[in-house]
mmCIF file of all heavy atoms in Angstrom:
data_model
loop_
_atom_site.group_PDB
_atom_site.id
_atom_site.type_symbol
_atom_site.label_atom_id
_atom_site.label_comp_id
_atom_site.label_asym_id
_atom_site.label_seq_id
_atom_site.Cartn_x
_atom_site.Cartn_y
_atom_site.Cartn_z
ATOM 1 N N ARG A 322 26.781 11.247 -25.591
ATOM 2 C CA ARG A 322 27.197 10.066 -26.386
ATOM 3 C C ARG A 322 28.607 9.625 -26.013
ATOM 4 O O ARG A 322 28.975 8.488 -26.109
ATOM 5 C CB ARG A 322 27.198 10.535 -27.867
ATOM 6 C CG ARG A 322 25.847 10.792 -28.412
ATOM 7 C CD ARG A 322 25.797 11.450 -29.744
ATOM 8 N NE ARG A 322 24.441 12.206 -29.936
ATOM 9 C CZ ARG A 322 23.378 11.675 -30.321
ATOM 10 N NH1 ARG A 322 23.319 10.395 -30.718
ATOM 11 N NH2 ARG A 322 22.226 12.302 -30.487
ATOM 12 N N GLU A 323 29.459 10.573 -25.424
ATOM 13 C CA GLU A 323 30.690 10.147 -25.036
ATOM 14 C C GLU A 323 30.659 9.827 -23.502
ATOM 15 O O GLU A 323 29.477 9.606 -23.010
ATOM 16 C CB GLU A 323 31.780 11.365 -25.085
ATOM 17 C CG GLU A 323 31.655 12.431 -26.232
ATOM 18 C CD GLU A 323 30.385 13.293 -26.129
ATOM 19 O OE1 GLU A 323 30.171 13.881 -25.041
ATOM 20 O OE2 GLU A 323 29.533 13.237 -27.014
ATOM 21 N N ALA A 324 31.750 9.856 -22.837
ATOM 22 C CA ALA A 324 31.665 9.427 -21.497
ATOM 23 C C ALA A 324 30.895 10.351 -20.548
ATOM 24 O O ALA A 324 30.959 11.595 -20.699
ATOM 25 C CB ALA A 324 33.053 9.354 -20.861
ATOM 26 N N VAL A 325 30.172 9.784 -19.499
ATOM 27 C CA VAL A 325 29.659 10.588 -18.506
ATOM 28 C C VAL A 325 30.450 10.290 -17.205
ATOM 29 O O VAL A 325 30.821 9.098 -17.009
ATOM 30 C CB VAL A 325 28.145 10.363 -18.307
ATOM 31 C CG1 VAL A 325 27.871 8.838 -17.878
ATOM 32 C CG2 VAL A 325 27.623 11.215 -17.170
ATOM 33 N N GLU A 326 30.743 11.277 -16.409
ATOM 34 C CA GLU A 326 31.541 11.066 -15.219
ATOM 35 C C GLU A 326 31.230 12.247 -14.206
ATOM 36 O O GLU A 326 30.609 13.083 -14.675
ATOM 37 C CB GLU A 326 33.050 11.127 -15.438
ATOM 38 C CG GLU A 326 33.545 12.293 -16.178
ATOM 39 C CD GLU A 326 34.973 12.002 -16.597
ATOM 40 O OE1 GLU A 326 35.734 11.393 -15.820
ATOM 41 O OE2 GLU A 326 35.420 12.587 -17.670
ATOM 42 N N PRO A 327 31.542 12.015 -12.944
ATOM 43 C CA PRO A 327 31.147 12.975 -11.996
ATOM 44 C C PRO A 327 31.760 14.402 -12.315
ATOM 45 O O PRO A 327 32.873 14.507 -12.824
ATOM 46 C CB PRO A 327 31.893 12.452 -10.695
ATOM 47 C CG PRO A 327 31.862 10.952 -10.786
ATOM 48 C CD PRO A 327 32.175 10.728 -12.281
ATOM 49 N N LEU A 328 30.869 15.452 -12.093
ATOM 50 C CA LEU A 328 31.272 16.711 -12.400
ATOM 51 C C LEU A 328 32.546 17.101 -11.534
ATOM 52 O O LEU A 328 32.538 16.904 -10.287
ATOM 53 C CB LEU A 328 30.280 17.778 -11.914
ATOM 54 C CG LEU A 328 28.958 17.956 -12.763
ATOM 55 C CD1 LEU A 328 27.965 18.736 -12.128
ATOM 56 C CD2 LEU A 328 29.360 18.781 -14.081
ATOM 57 N N PRO A 329 33.625 17.622 -12.151
ATOM 58 C CA PRO A 329 34.880 17.842 -11.494
ATOM 59 C C PRO A 329 34.503 18.933 -10.170
ATOM 60 O O PRO A 329 35.114 18.796 -9.126
ATOM 61 C CB PRO A 329 35.788 18.540 -12.365
ATOM 62 C CG PRO A 329 35.009 18.677 -13.755
ATOM 63 C CD PRO A 329 33.692 17.959 -13.593
ATOM 64 N N GLU A 330 33.479 19.679 -10.416
ATOM 65 C CA GLU A 330 33.208 20.708 -9.358
ATOM 66 C C GLU A 330 32.670 19.961 -8.136
ATOM 67 O O GLU A 330 32.597 20.621 -6.990
ATOM 68 C CB GLU A 330 32.154 21.734 -9.740
ATOM 69 C CG GLU A 330 32.524 22.629 -10.847
ATOM 70 C CD GLU A 330 32.335 22.109 -12.335
ATOM 71 O OE1 GLU A 330 32.221 20.835 -12.487
ATOM 72 O OE2 GLU A 330 32.356 22.986 -13.181
ATOM 73 N N LEU A 331 32.254 18.811 -8.172
ATOM 74 C CA LEU A 331 31.682 18.158 -7.041
ATOM 75 C C LEU A 331 32.529 17.007 -6.440
ATOM 76 O O LEU A 331 32.180 16.263 -5.509
ATOM 77 C CB LEU A 331 30.362 17.373 -7.462
ATOM 78 C CG LEU A 331 29.203 18.317 -7.989
ATOM 79 C CD1 LEU A 331 28.008 17.554 -8.248
ATOM 80 C CD2 LEU A 331 28.983 19.393 -6.935
ATOM 81 N N VAL A 332 33.838 16.968 -6.940
ATOM 82 C CA VAL A 332 34.847 16.121 -6.360
ATOM 83 C C VAL A 332 35.885 16.872 -5.636
ATOM 84 O O VAL A 332 36.588 17.754 -6.128
ATOM 85 C CB VAL A 332 35.401 15.190 -7.510
ATOM 86 C CG1 VAL A 332 36.489 14.296 -6.936
ATOM 87 C CG2 VAL A 332 34.323 14.443 -8.204
ATOM 88 N N ASP A 333 36.062 16.538 -4.389
ATOM 89 C CA ASP A 333 37.186 17.161 -3.599
ATOM 90 C C ASP A 333 37.503 16.208 -2.408
ATOM 91 O O ASP A 333 37.098 15.156 -2.445
ATOM 92 C CB ASP A 333 36.739 18.578 -3.112
ATOM 93 C CG ASP A 333 35.493 18.512 -2.268
ATOM 94 O OD1 ASP A 333 35.231 17.515 -1.589
ATOM 95 O OD2 ASP A 333 34.739 19.473 -2.325
ATOM 96 N N ASP A 334 38.453 16.665 -1.545
ATOM 97 C CA ASP A 334 38.927 15.791 -0.392
ATOM 98 C C ASP A 334 37.729 15.220 0.447
ATOM 99 O O ASP A 334 37.763 14.024 0.736
ATOM 100 C CB ASP A 334 39.826 16.537 0.465
ATOM 101 C CG ASP A 334 41.190 16.858 -0.270
ATOM 102 O OD1 ASP A 334 41.343 16.240 -1.441
ATOM 103 O OD2 ASP A 334 41.987 17.620 0.256
ATOM 104 N N LYS A 335 36.829 16.136 0.608
ATOM 105 C CA LYS A 335 35.721 15.595 1.399
ATOM 106 C C LYS A 335 34.620 14.804 0.655
ATOM 107 O O LYS A 335 33.826 14.066 1.184
ATOM 108 C CB LYS A 335 34.948 16.786 1.992
ATOM 109 C CG LYS A 335 35.584 17.521 3.094
ATOM 110 C CD LYS A 335 34.454 18.242 3.935
ATOM 111 C CE LYS A 335 34.976 19.198 4.940
ATOM 112 N NZ LYS A 335 34.750 20.583 4.778
ATOM 113 N N HIS A 336 34.737 14.960 -0.646
ATOM 114 C CA HIS A 336 33.775 14.227 -1.447
ATOM 115 C C HIS A 336 34.530 13.464 -2.533
ATOM 116 O O HIS A 336 34.593 13.927 -3.786
ATOM 117 C CB HIS A 336 32.671 15.104 -2.182
ATOM 118 C CG HIS A 336 31.979 16.024 -1.157
ATOM 119 N ND1 HIS A 336 32.464 17.366 -0.948
ATOM 120 C CD2 HIS A 336 30.894 15.795 -0.356
ATOM 121 C CE1 HIS A 336 31.669 17.869 0.006
ATOM 122 N NE2 HIS A 336 30.710 16.981 0.309
ATOM 123 N N PRO A 337 35.166 12.331 -2.240
ATOM 124 C CA PRO A 337 35.977 11.659 -3.244
ATOM 125 C C PRO A 337 35.054 11.087 -4.377
ATOM 126 O O PRO A 337 33.869 10.952 -4.177
ATOM 127 C CB PRO A 337 36.503 10.527 -2.533
ATOM 128 C CG PRO A 337 36.039 10.451 -1.084
ATOM 129 C CD PRO A 337 35.103 11.723 -0.984
#
Side-chain angles (χ1 to χ4, degrees):
R322 292 173 204 270
E323 330 67 56
V325 61
E326 56 189 324
L328 282 171
E330 291 89 339
L331 299 184
V332 177
D333 56 31
D334 291 348
K335 280 206 193 116
H336 307 94

